[in-house]
Amino acid sequence: MMNAFNDLMAFQRETEALAQVAGRLGWDQETMMPRGAAEQRGEEMAALEGVLHARRTDPRIGDWLAAAKAPDAAGARAVELIGRAYRRTALVPARLAAEIARVTSLAQGIWAEARARDDVALFLPTLERVVALIREKGQALAEGGDAYDALLEDYEPGATGAALAAMFAEMRPRLVSLRAAVLGAAFQPAPLQGRFAPEGQLALARQMADAFGYDWGRGRLDLAVHPFSSGSGNDVRITTRTNEGDPFNCLYSTIHETGHAGYEQAIDPAHLLTPLGQGVSMGVHESQSRIYENQIGRSRAFTGWMFARMKDTFGDLGLADADAFYAAANRVHDGHIRTEADEVQYNLHIMLRFDLERDLIAGRLAVADLEAAWNERFLKDFGHAVGRPSQGMLQDVHWSAGLIGYFPTYSLGNLYAGCLHQALRRDLPGLDESLARGDASPATGWLRARLQQFGGLRPPEATVEHACGFAPSAGPLLDYLDAKFRAIYRL
Ligand code: ZN
């Protein structure tokens, strides 16, 4: 029986290694690949995906799972995770999986064109097909249970639509009222203005990654259109972008991706190339990027250091002092775009998407009525209208890619970051003195010791509870946002 366990883990290790190769091809495609290689790369990726699919559905896995006897808790957890993935793969008919892959890969191109042309009608027939296929997948996975809950398992195991709806119901009234108070305040911080050379931004971005302990010996920083991080273990790469008018975009994207990458770099090497060797869920992953980006990276102490580094690099910034810089880095402004949203408004963007996609999967909302439902809800929560579809339901790639159930993990990440920040401040009373010197290592050390090193050892919520010493809830995030933004806006 020990042989079955060892055989299973050896087989899994090779699958994980191949999956890392696929991920690295994806990284290459977004950073280095010559344009002319696109078609050939598609064929290369499809070949590798075919190999991976065959391995993930290999009937020997079923035999090994039935006989495997894990030697310890980590081994038992690995067997559990392999078993779950194997059962879920088996529940989705091969015909359906292939059709989803085919339709979503076409849909992303159609979505991009529809967004560029602001033409919802161009996208609707494709989106209808995607939603129908993903609903069918959810129903197959749910085995009579709730289809949306079954889809959530891909991104946030253990989360349910009902629990997330309750979380959002608690958050929404406080966020709506904080948003109104902040935008209506007499004092409004000045934005950062000017032109900032890309070379200077990238040099600063490297200093930001340094401040949070990114390991350059096992990673690298490159440019990409949409920043992301990629890889696990000893090869975890980050990307960023520069916008001459908005250096915060580059710096905070870099800090955000450093959070994702730092999590992967910190996982116990004993878990390398096992199901425990990567971040446990999208929500927990996002908590690591958000706490770096927002609670720490946009703190008064850290922005004080950032202000001095910005002046070293770019000269006078046209802002009176470090307090003005702190306010500029946290400025709340009206907008339509989720990815450009500030801490106060971000979760409102997610709630809107969560409610709509849950209704789509439940069949309570028709794709044909999605645009009207989006625009009505946006007006209600944000107080201003959606001007054109690219500011509304066409702004995000997720639905075209079949990623339904993904959006709420962003807010869960924010909620977890709020809890982790409260616990971390409890344990590190002198943190601000370090942050003011551009040294986030006490926070990074705390996160590594309490959360990151364990990878997938515990389920997502238990991972956060173990780190904090209390059960996660929305309270810490909401209290933090209230205190921070009421002070900045002098309310
Ligand atoms: Zn992220």
Side-chain angles (χ1 to χ4, degrees):
M1 288 196 295
M2 194 64 197
N3 280 345
F5 175 80
N6 289 338
D7 289 347
L8 176 64
M9 294 307 288
F11 186 80
Q12 178 71 21
R13 193 176 180 88
E14 234 173 75
T15 309
E16 301 264 354
L18 288 166
Q20 289 293 314
V21 174
R24 214 149 291 125
L25 281 180
W27 169 86
D28 177 75
Q29 193 168 329
E30 304 297 323
T31 53
M32 300 283 172
M33 186 183 80
R35 239 184 331 169
E39 207 169 310
Q40 180 182 328
R41 177 58 53 87
E43 200 172 328
E44 292 168 3
M45 296 275 269
L48 188 49
E49 285 305 323
V51 171
L52 279 165
H53 183 77
R55 293 186 67 91
R56 286 171 177 147
T57 53
D58 192 311
R60 285 176 295 171
I61 295 176
D63 302 338
W64 286 323
L65 282 168
K69 195 102 182 91
D72 54 19
R77 173 73 172 155
V79 169
E80 179 194 336
L81 291 174
I82 295 168
R84 189 184 68 190
Y86 184 66
R87 277 190 304 279
R88 281 174 68 81
T89 308
L91 284 171
V92 180
R95 163 206 57 84
L96 179 59
E99 184 67 357
I100 288 173
R102 192 184 69 79
V103 170
T104 54
S105 108
L106 290 171
Q108 289 171 65
I110 296 167
W111 162 77
E113 199 185 332
R115 184 174 75 157
R117 291 203 213 158
D118 264 311
D119 185 351
V120 173
L122 180 64
F123 183 48
L124 283 189
T126 305
L127 182 60
E128 246 164 52
R129 186 82 192 113
V130 172
V131 169
L133 289 167
I134 299 298
R135 183 193 296 131
E136 191 183 342
K137 178 185 167 188
Q139 286 164 346
L141 288 169
E143 298 181 284
D146 185 273
Y148 188 74
D149 287 355
L151 294 171
L152 281 172
E153 286 282 311
D154 273 345
Y155 314 107
E156 200 65 25
T160 65
L164 290 167
M167 168 185 96
F168 285 134
E170 186 189 348
M171 293 168 80
R172 188 168 168 192
R174 280 183 68 180
L175 292 176
V176 167
S177 90
L178 179 60
R179 178 186 174 280
V182 159
L183 287 172
F187 171 75
Q188 292 293 325
L192 183 60
Q193 282 173 314
R195 308 301 291 174
F196 303 86
E199 303 74 43
Q201 293 190 35
L202 290 173
L204 279 171
R206 292 184 159 272
Q207 292 186 47
M208 297 303 136
D210 277 337
F212 285 94
Y214 183 64
D215 182 350
W216 295 100
R218 298 187 294 143
R220 50 181 291 133
L221 174 68
D222 295 277
L223 291 170
V225 177
H226 302 287
F228 65 96
S229 71
S230 165
S232 291
N234 298 320
D235 191 345
V236 190
R237 307 179 187 191
I238 56 176
T239 58
T240 192
R241 63 180 165 199
T242 60
N243 170 341
E244 279 197 67
D246 180 13
F248 284 142
N249 190 308
C250 172
L251 301 183
Y252 284 109
S253 291
T254 305
I255 294 172
H256 181 99
E257 299 309 332
T258 299
H260 283 302
Y263 184 11
E264 294 291 335
Q265 288 185 329
I267 295 173
D268 185 341
H271 300 328
L272 187 73
L273 298 177
T274 78
L276 277 58
Q278 48 197 304
V280 68
S281 70
M282 305 306 297
V284 176
H285 233 298
E286 198 65 9
S287 74
Q288 302 306 292
S289 56
R290 298 284 168 135
I291 193 172
Y292 275 13
E293 178 188 350
N294 291 328
Q295 278 88 352
I296 298 174
R298 287 192 166 90
S299 66
R300 174 62 185 81
F302 190 79
T303 55
W305 174 77
M306 198 192 248
F307 179 55
R309 299 288 74 73
M310 289 276 285
K311 283 193 298 183
D312 290 348
T313 307
F314 298 115
D316 180 41
L317 300 178
L319 292 170
D321 53 22
D323 286 323
F325 182 81
Y326 169 59
N330 285 286
R331 196 169 153 268
V332 177
H333 52 92
D334 269 333
H336 297 92
I337 306 297
R338 174 186 61 86
T339 55
E340 295 168 4
D342 47 77
E343 282 185 89
V344 172
Q345 299 182 87
Y346 190 89
N347 295 298
L348 294 170
H349 286 277
I350 297 300
M351 286 172 212
L352 177 157
R353 288 156 178 76
F354 166 74
D355 285 338
L356 295 179
E357 69 177 18
R358 205 168 161 226
D359 284 350
L360 285 173
I361 293 299
R364 290 187 293 261
L365 175 66
V367 169
D369 300 327
L370 180 61
E371 186 184 18
W374 179 298
N375 292 350
E376 186 191 329
R377 171 69 177 267
F378 188 88
L379 183 61
K380 204 163 129 195
D381 278 5
F382 293 86
H384 56 108
V386 173
R388 47 182 200 275
S390 57
Q391 299 177 328
M393 65 159 276
L394 290 181
Q395 68 180 266
D396 295 304
V397 69
H398 299 60
W399 288 338
S400 72
L403 300 175
I404 299 180
Y406 190 115
F407 280 124
T409 69
Y410 292 117
S411 282
L412 211 45
N414 287 328
L415 181 149
Y416 287 156
C419 298
L420 291 163
H421 182 242
Q422 187 185 82
L424 177 156
R425 290 280 179 181
R426 172 198 69 203
D427 293 350
L428 302 172
L431 178 61
D432 278 339
E433 288 160 37
S434 302
L435 296 180
R437 296 192 304 268
D439 175 13
S441 64
T444 293
W446 189 95
L447 288 165
R448 282 178 184 161
R450 309 276 301 222
L451 188 149
Q452 295 177 347
Q453 61 163 318
F454 301 115
L457 184 62
R458 299 181 184 87
E461 198 173 322
T463 296
V464 178
E465 180 164 354
H466 176 86
C468 295
F470 54 82
S473 71
L477 175 69
L478 296 171
D479 292 346
Y480 150 83
L481 290 173
D482 261 329
K484 175 176 176 178
F485 286 92
R486 286 184 191 280
I488 292 173
Y489 281 82
R490 304 175 188 172
L491 292 163

